[in-house]
Amino acid sequence: MLGNAQFPLFLAPLGLKTRTVTKFKIKLKKCYSHKYRMKNSSFFLNKYLRIYNTKGISISAKKLRNKIIKAVSQAKKNYKKLKEPKISSIGVYIDIWVRKIIVKDIASKSIKEISIDNPPSSSKSLVEYFSLFPYELHEKLRKKLFNVEIEKRKKVWKGFKLPIEKIEKRFKRMVIEKTKFAQKKEYPHYIDMFFDKYKIPKSDYKYFTENINKTIKYCNQQLPKTNNLPSWFYSKFNLPCFICKTTSFPFKNLEEAFNSVTKEYQILNKFKNKIDIKQGKESSMFYKEETDHFEIVLDKNLNTRHQIMDLIHELAHTIDYLNDFSKKISPMKKGSYQNEKKALKIEIAILKKLAPSLLESTFTEALLVFRRTLFEIELYTNPNQNLRQLYALTFNQCFKKAKQKTNPLYILDERIVFRPFSSLPYAIAQCQVFSNK
């Protein structure tokens, strides 16, 4: 807890007088629960003011102070309405509520309109790429290609008649532009931005680069042993999957999988009525502070087996969150990387207990994540290379039985094109966990 002498010194650089600081302390003391100490309120002001400044958003300490006080008041009021058992303590709950208010405000102030006719130099290549190959077309072609039988995909792909070389040139320019943007932000490389975003220690990334081939070898050794794989299993028009290929599956439906996991974990069973499961665009889990519920969204485009696998993963996240909440720790503070690492360990434990036959099938998914991440690392290290060949080589690196020579389908990978390095925390977490670190 900050003492009386420390508190004014902390706010002095913000241009606040001692009298203003004293009033601020009194207001905060009235707003905050006795369990929610003053050091947290000062931490809010310092941390979020720094983030606003980093984003180039101008805001006065007074305005931010009032925003924080209002958010704390809203959180306390809403907390009283929540039904028992409550997932979070009041202190952590306030932290989450304030964090969401501030993040939403920063996001709204960070949005900049871009003129398609006259885009700024920092966005020119992005506009050029998406004017040639719009987002909606990516999604449409991806679904059309992978929704048909594997034997028909080559014909479907040729039928798209895409100007691949033109698309690749604009894609490379977009990659170069992103690298320049990162360097303007004083990051040595584009990937360094994501170490900060996902809170990935540089030492863990170094371990990944030094041990990824060992981890890939381990994952290949864990894959189901079978001699009757079709000739197209490792072709460029197929995403290898042993989850779909296995003849037996331990769960009939989502409800059975949910009940099996909740029965196994007491902390999850206690709050199972506060877990809402929905269908959506992408599988995810998040805590909804307004209702004190967890919401698990499952990708509606996946088949039942893959939805069940995603459900188990998201329940692993839920267990991790509940463990943090029980210790009065906000899970949002850890960052995506640590959250994924913890959830992966829990997911493996769940599968070992409830569905050991499925565990070996999941290593295929890990290898696909490694492939994407390795491709992106090489891409942003040197975009001026043969990307179709690189995409094939990184696939062969991850799947030892593959012999691809060229593969242009990276342009349909939504994460590579629209959310580069979004798989990075998963890849590094998997490398760590599989190495028992």
Side-chain angles (χ1 to χ4, degrees), residues 247-289:
T247 54
S248 61
F249 198 80
F251 304 109
K252 294 178 182 177
N253 49 47
L254 289 166
E255 184 180 2
E256 184 181 340
F258 178 81
N259 290 336
S260 297
V261 179
T262 52
K263 285 177 183 177
E264 194 68 36
Y265 289 84
Q266 185 177 356
I267 195 168
L268 194 62
N269 193 52
K270 179 181 178 182
F271 295 101
K272 67 179 181 180
N273 292 328
K274 286 197 169 189
I275 301 173
D276 304 320
I277 301 173
K278 299 181 179 180
Q279 301 279 323
K281 188 176 180 181
E282 185 179 49
S283 296
S284 60
M285 185 283 292
F286 54 93
Y287 171 68
K288 297 184 71 176
E289 67 279 0

Side-chain angles (χ1 to χ4, degrees), residues 21 23 50 68 92-93 124 162 226 264 273 288 311 343 350 357 360 421:
V21 170
K23 288 181 179 178
R50 186 168 63 247
I68 291 171
V92 173
Y93 187 82
K124 188 176 180 181
L162 294 172
T226 178
E264 194 68 36
N273 292 328
K288 297 184 71 176
L311 174 62
I350 291 171
S357 62
E360 59 184 16
F421 288 115

